[in-house]
Amino acid sequence: MTDSVAAILVHVADTEAGLAWYQRAFPKAERRWLEEFDFAYLQVGTVDLEIVQADEKVASGAAGSVVYWAVEDFDRALKHFEALGALLYRGPMAIQEGLWMCQVRDPWGNCIGFRGPRPEYKGEEA
């Protein structure tokens, strides 16, 4: 086993709408297509972001693990996601080494976390 993340599955009610939303949320993501499986996904850096159909076994929404993405500018990332319709769910809060973190919820209720510095922030609390 390696110690790197290979793929993240995000469960949504409408996979095409989910792919489109996440492509806007992660503008550097490359849309990939696996013809033999009739499956589209996004590649974000070295991670496959797989937007899959929610079902009776795995529904969409906040129910457990949250993936945190590293961002270069915390406030800019939060504004970007909010402009796409994501809702602030938890935070922002100061964490170690001058970084900040929060969680937002996508249109299907899934949590997306991010952590990073706040270059323009001068105060102590959010």
Side-chain angles (χ1 to χ4, degrees):
M1 180 180 297
T2 67
D3 55 342
S4 62
V5 173
I8 300 166
L9 275 67
V10 178
H11 293 78
V12 299
D14 180 336
T15 57
E16 194 54 44
L19 278 163
W21 191 89
Y22 274 87
Q23 185 133 43
R24 288 189 311 274
F26 294 89
K28 292 182 181 178
E30 293 181 33
R31 190 169 180 151
R32 301 283 175 97
W33 176 254
L34 298 174
E35 189 168 335
E36 64 271 26
F37 299 104
D38 191 28
F39 183 72
Y41 67 97
L42 302 174
Q43 188 167 46
V44 183
T46 61
V47 175
D48 292 345
L49 185 56
E50 300 178 3
I51 311 304
V52 298
Q53 187 67 44
D55 60 22
E56 66 280 351
K57 288 191 175 187
V58 182
S60 61
S65 301
V66 177
V67 173
Y68 280 83
W69 296 86
V71 297
E72 294 178 3
D73 183 320
F74 179 89
D75 293 314
R76 188 172 68 218
L78 180 56
K79 286 177 187 170
H80 170 71
F81 275 81
E82 288 178 328
L84 294 173
L87 299 175
L88 185 61
Y89 183 63
R90 182 172 279 173
M93 63 190 322
I95 57 173
Q96 77 275 7
E97 300 171 7
L99 299 176
W100 286 76
M101 66 184 274
C102 76
Q103 294 174 9
V104 297
R105 292 181 81 172
D106 73 11
W108 301 271
N110 298 300
C111 287
I112 304 165
F114 41 87
R115 331 162 50 135
R118 295 179 90 179
E120 302 301 318
Y121 185 74
K122 305 297 182 204
E124 293 297 318
E125 293 297 320

